[in-house]
Amino acid sequence: TLMVTAMAHVKMGASVSSDFKQADDLIYLLGENGSGLAGSEFVEQFITDNTKLPDINLDENAKLYRLYRLACEENLLQSGHDVSDGGMLCAITESAIGGRLGAELETKNSLEFYFNEAPARFIVSVSPENKEAFEAHFSDTSYLYLGRTTTKPQIIAEDNTWQLDELITTWKEGIKS
């Protein structure tokens, strides 16, 4: 994993925090979906055989990072969270915990989709009035609409529902064996 720490001057108001801000915001995955669970938290916990590593496209990654920065400067995003340890579903959960809001995901997909840790991806929330501007801004890169934030303190994905209080406890204390 490439790990970079950077410090820079940023315009006031030109960054976003990871917590969901309000109900009915749109949730998107920015970046290539990626595939492969090798090295992921999911494989470490639940799978004994190794799988392939996600691909890396450095040119697309750099383009996405530039677009993300500009989207922050243009106030197109309500929140933004990197997809890393635990994958996309973990990032959504952490954003919900931070804002004490829920999320209802409308996409149907595989465990690999929800838990792979492919690089250069973000979970973002966008207010409905910024939908067209957001989609136009990211039209030259990959994004996928996932669902909406809700006032119900739960995460709903496919046929699964997790209560936010239980997720907070697990997040703080870990999985009990």
Side-chain angles (χ1 to χ4, degrees), residues 14-160:
S15 63
V16 296
S17 60
S18 62
D19 53 307
F20 291 148
K21 306 295 186 288
Q22 61 192 17
D24 296 320
D25 278 349
L26 312 173
I27 303 170
Y28 288 88
L29 172 66
L30 289 178
E32 298 289 329
N33 177 34
S35 63
L37 290 168
S40 70
E41 293 288 328
F42 186 82
V43 166
E44 177 126 351
Q45 293 292 322
F46 301 108
I47 300 176
T48 56
D49 61 333
N50 213 347
T51 63
K52 78 178 196 96
L53 287 169
D55 295 324
I56 298 174
N57 183 331
L58 295 177
D59 292 332
E60 286 298 313
N61 295 1
K63 181 169 66 172
L64 176 63
Y65 296 151
R66 283 191 287 278
L67 287 169
Y68 183 88
R69 179 184 58 82
L70 290 171
C72 289
E73 289 178 3
E74 295 173 16
N75 294 313
L76 295 178
L77 308 177
Q78 291 284 78
S79 69
H81 193 307
D82 66 310
V83 175
S84 56
D85 292 355
M88 182 185 69
L89 199 54
C90 186
I92 290 170
T93 300
E94 289 173 350
S95 292
I97 289 170
R100 295 302 194 262
L101 293 169
E104 189 167 333
L105 307 180
E106 298 174 14
T107 182
K108 303 280 187 213
N109 232 301
S110 65
L111 286 175
E112 185 176 38
F113 173 76
Y114 290 116
F115 293 104
N116 84 72
E117 298 173 8
R121 297 182 309 149
F122 299 93
I123 293 298
V124 298
S125 62
V126 177
S127 62
E129 56 269 12
N130 284 339
K131 178 184 188 295
E132 288 181 23
F134 168 84
E135 291 182 356
H137 181 82
F138 286 100
S139 64
D140 288 339
T141 191
S142 294
Y143 68 85
L144 177 65
Y145 171 75
L146 298 173
R148 291 183 174 267
T149 59
T150 69
T151 57
K152 296 177 189 171
Q154 58 191 15
I155 306 294
I156 299 172
E158 302 201 20
D159 296 328
N160 300 293

